Amino acid sequence: MRLWLRCCLVVYCLQLAAVVMATAEEMPPFKKRSGLEFVSPETRRLQEDDTSNPGMLWVLEGERLWREAVGPTGPACAGCHGEAAASMRGVAARYPLFDPASGRPFDLQGRINLCRSEHQGAPPLAFESQELLALTAFVAHQSRDLPVTAPNDERLSPFIENGRRLYRQHLGQVDLACADCHDERWGERLSGSLIPQAHPTGYPLYRLEWQTMGSLQRRIRNCMIGVRAEPFDFGAPELVELELFLMQRAAGMPIETPAVRP
Amino acid sequence: MKWEGVLLAFATTVVAGAPAGAQSPLLDYQVNGDSIERPLIGQPGDAARGEVLIADRRRSLCLLCHAGPFPDPHAQGTLAPNLGGVGARLSEGQLRLRVVDMRRVVPSSIMPSYYRIDGLERVAEPWQGKPVLTAEEIEDVVAFLVTLKE
């Protein structure tokens, strides 16, 4: 084999090993299964058929907002990013990312609001507002079926670590940790609900219980309220760290946005 | 209604109640081996009230995890042993300790300690300083569990 080819191979293998090592640690000790595998056949059909998936309404609205100029002077998202199908493909599969300016990770919603303040001269969109859910769903939808690929960024490590700690922390009057249900008891029934593995790959998603679209932060807050804990505020660092940990844990799973859940 | 929805609905209705005082509002009890022999309140509870309480998922939470001889079997949990026959398997004192503080029996148990207010993280405001069930309620639940002979 030619020397350069051999070198390339070695470098490639080293890179591969690095990626595997970076993610292996986060792998849950069971086969990863999307929340979709725990829903009823009717709910699954809703998600899998775009013409009946209610979340697609938000995706369409997000596409409209993507092309719309913001405020009197701000450009549209499309003004900077062009066609989302190309520029936004794979983006959601890599989030949350590290933001050097704040020294903290931010999620996709945070990125959208950062673009608004930095490039569009517009106020942030409120958490769970139709606009923020629609834009986030539209951007995330561009990564549908692509595997979650957590970035190999050392600066994220302490935040992933904190996410992992929170995931294992007992919370609330009922005194349970996320891991108690989602690592150790998935597939069991909590009252009438099947416990999924808590993968964040379908968000924002349409939840039949909410009768609307909702963010991952809303979902996690619901679980906290379920154990009678004081939920972290929307936008709290802890929620982003939990998302960061969950995304590492879901490495390799396909993005499903917009998913449908019971 | 979903499990968290059930609890959320409850959260908004229970704001009143005893304030968290400087002293523990909990009564003392004595553990012998794996049981608490004497009722927490010095008198036995009411089995009929206990049955209502256990069937009420919002109040007692029992059926989030357990199944048993109760209405609505599809809305019962599979995370814990079936409560059918538990009164034959365990004595009254053993049942009392398990409801009061399961983790004394099984340290890694997910069953919450029903009569405890310390060592908890981020308890939501309506429940701060309160055990999941009062001493009276625990006695009612125990009185009912004793009757579950098969």
Side-chain angles (χ1 to χ4, degrees):
Chain A
M1 210 187 304
R2 289 231 202 91
L3 185 60
W4 66 265
L5 189 62
R6 233 188 282 175
C7 286
C8 286
L9 251 175
V10 168
V11 169
Y12 177 74
C13 286
L14 282 177
Q15 275 174 349
L16 207 67
V19 169
V20 170
M21 272 159 58
T23 48
E25 197 199 350
E26 311 297 343
M27 295 290 180
F30 43 76
K31 183 173 178 291
K32 297 184 212 182
R33 293 172 60 182
S34 159
L36 186 62
E37 294 191 40
F38 300 87
V39 307
S40 69
E42 301 82 66
T43 307
R44 173 182 275 271
R45 273 197 295 278
L46 271 187
Q47 173 170 329
E48 288 178 342
D49 174 9
D50 279 352
T51 60
S52 60
N53 182 335
M56 287 307 289
L57 293 175
W58 276 261
V59 171
L60 287 176
E61 171 66 4
E63 178 165 24
R64 193 183 66 73
L65 293 168
W66 177 264
R67 302 185 191 291
E68 188 178 84
V70 172
T73 52
C77 311
C80 294
H81 296 289
E83 281 308 313
S87 65
M88 294 295 124
R89 193 170 156 73
V91 167
R94 298 193 283 271
Y95 266 68
L97 290 183
F98 185 78
D99 172 28
S102 63
R104 297 202 44 85
F106 56 79
D107 59 8
L108 200 51
Q109 302 187 104
R111 175 71 256 179
I112 289 170
N113 272 334
L114 217 58
C115 274
R116 283 178 66 86
S117 65
E118 284 180 355
H119 306 301
Q120 297 177 305
L125 297 168
F127 288 104
E128 305 308 301
S129 63
Q130 296 304 307
E131 293 98 321
L132 187 57
L133 290 171
L135 272 171
T136 311
F138 174 66
V139 172
H141 182 63
Q142 308 308 312
S143 300
R144 187 154 77 170
D145 297 332
L146 295 179
V148 170
T149 41
N152 198 356
D153 184 342
E154 259 305 301
R155 295 169 300 179
L156 288 172
S157 304
F159 302 99
I160 297 171
E161 220 25 72
N162 205 37
R164 184 202 321 275
R165 185 186 64 74
L166 291 167
Y167 185 79
R168 296 191 180 149
Q169 161 94 65
H170 284 230
L171 292 170
Q173 192 196 40
V174 185
D175 203 17
L176 286 175
C178 318
D180 285 329
C181 289
H182 293 296
D183 278 5
E184 276 143 45
R185 288 171 187 82
W186 57 265
E188 299 283 350
R189 254 173 215 289
L190 182 70
S191 193
S193 305
L194 269 179
I195 303 177
Q197 293 180 352
H199 295 300
T201 45
Y203 288 81
L205 58 66
Y206 189 92
R207 189 160 182 237
L208 301 170
E209 171 77 3
W210 296 332
Q211 298 194 18
T212 185
M213 203 76 163
S215 69
L216 179 64
Q217 298 203 356
R218 180 172 181 189
R219 172 67 257 179
I220 294 176
R221 282 170 48 91
N222 267 213
C223 282
M224 295 183 74
I225 291 164
V227 295
R228 299 181 172 177
E230 190 61 45
F232 298 119
D233 291 335
F234 280 108
E238 289 89 346
L239 287 176
V240 178
E241 288 159 2
L242 274 168
E243 173 175 355
L244 191 60
F245 170 71
L246 290 178
M247 283 294 272
Q248 306 274 320
R249 183 170 164 274
M253 299 181 74
I255 297 287
E256 286 173 36
T257 310
V260 182
R261 296 288 183 267
Chain B
M1 202 189 285
K2 295 290 172 199
W3 69 280
E4 355 75 273
V6 163
L7 296 164
L8 179 60
F10 185 53
T12 54
T13 59
V14 177
V15 198
Q23 282 175 318
S24 171
L26 303 187
L27 303 169
D28 287 335
Y29 57 84
Q30 198 187 338
V31 180
N32 294 318
D34 77 336
S35 31
I36 301 173
E37 305 297 346
R38 255 175 292 142
L40 302 175
I41 49 170
Q43 65 189 61
D46 178 319
R49 278 204 306 259
E51 179 169 16
V52 173
L53 198 51
I54 289 195
D56 187 346
R57 295 181 292 159
R58 307 165 186 227
R59 297 281 313 283
S60 66
L61 317 177
C62 310
L63 299 188
L64 287 181
C65 298
H66 289 274
F70 310 104
D72 256 346
H74 63 276
Q76 301 178 5
T78 60
L79 300 178
N82 192 301
L83 290 176
V86 78
R89 292 198 292 278
L90 297 169
S91 71
E92 181 192 313
Q94 287 174 318
L95 290 167
R96 186 174 290 110
L97 176 59
R98 280 155 183 76
V99 180
V100 164
D101 193 0
M102 187 68 193
R103 287 186 189 154
R104 258 191 198 252
V105 185
V106 181
S108 64
S109 185
I110 54 163
M111 178 162 161
S113 299
Y114 274 81
Y115 202 60
R116 174 173 126 197
I117 52 172
D118 55 351
L120 302 171
E121 281 288 323
R122 288 191 77 89
V123 177
E125 218 268 327
W127 288 290
Q128 282 170 16
K130 293 182 198 141
V132 184
L133 293 178
T134 64
E136 290 77 8
E137 288 169 332
I138 288 177
E139 288 310 323
D140 292 344
V141 164
V142 169
F144 173 67
L145 292 175
V146 168
T147 69
L148 291 178
K149 296 294 187 197
E150 55 195 69

